Amino acid sequence: MLAVMRTVWTVGHSTREWPDFVALLEMAGIEAVADVRRFAGSRRHPQFAATHMAQALPEAGIDYVPMPDLGGRRVPRPDSHNTAWRNASFRGYADYMESADYVEARERLEALALHKRTAVMCAEAYWAQCHRSLISDDLKSRGWQVVHLVAPGRSEEHPYTKAARIVDGVLDYSPHAADDTAGTQPPLF
């Protein structure tokens, strides 16, 4: 019997025009958008405000599912051991990933993705500059295939971030051998 690969997609709304955003989702066959913005609004791009998306996505045949409990903008704990992340925002999110609130929200996301082709959405266009990269690490470590929708006709399978390693089957962002290259890593780390 063949194992069925569980897949989740990610997408950043960025500055896209609404028809282009919807077309990108439709090309990938997305049935539900899990909005993982903690504060789901955009002054510059009102088409991506939660109130608009909650109406416009269903009109396009796509469910809109707000998941602010998976949102970013987290502050690192003073005792954080996730120091493979030099970027404080990512370190703070890694700390948050260890909480019961995060685990519960991730389980809701996984349940949704088991029933509908789901894209995890945030604002940043490029996934590596967004907390979607950490969510993707987590999902991949749990046996999910994660595919980033980059542009029409262009997607990328998620590689683990440079800060990630798997220790005894568990995602880990504590210091490791990759720290030897700390001076050459991008500023996000």
Side-chain angles (χ1 to χ4, degrees), residues 57-125:
L57 278 175
E59 288 173 1
I62 300 168
D63 292 347
Y64 175 71
V65 184
M67 294 193 160
D69 288 348
L70 288 175
R73 299 185 186 183
R74 307 289 174 165
V75 177
R77 292 185 317 248
D79 64 342
S80 177
H81 62 270
N82 295 304
T83 56
W85 286 113
R86 292 188 299 172
N87 178 288
S89 295
F90 283 17
R91 188 170 53 255
Y93 197 80
D95 291 343
Y96 175 67
M97 290 169 67
E98 297 169 357
S99 73
D101 288 342
Y102 172 84
V103 170
E104 182 181 314
R106 182 198 60 218
E107 289 172 354
R108 286 194 320 271
L109 172 62
E110 288 176 320
L112 175 65
L114 285 173
H115 298 289
K116 296 192 178 234
R117 289 175 65 98
T118 301
V120 172
M121 185 208 74
C122 196
E124 292 292 332

Side-chain angles (χ1 to χ4, degrees), residues 10-12 16 20 23-24 27 125 148-156:
T10 85
V11 65
R16 301 178 205 272
D20 298 335
L24 182 62
M27 281 187 256
H148 302 290
L149 301 176
V150 179
R154 184 169 164 234
S155 62
E156 299 173 359

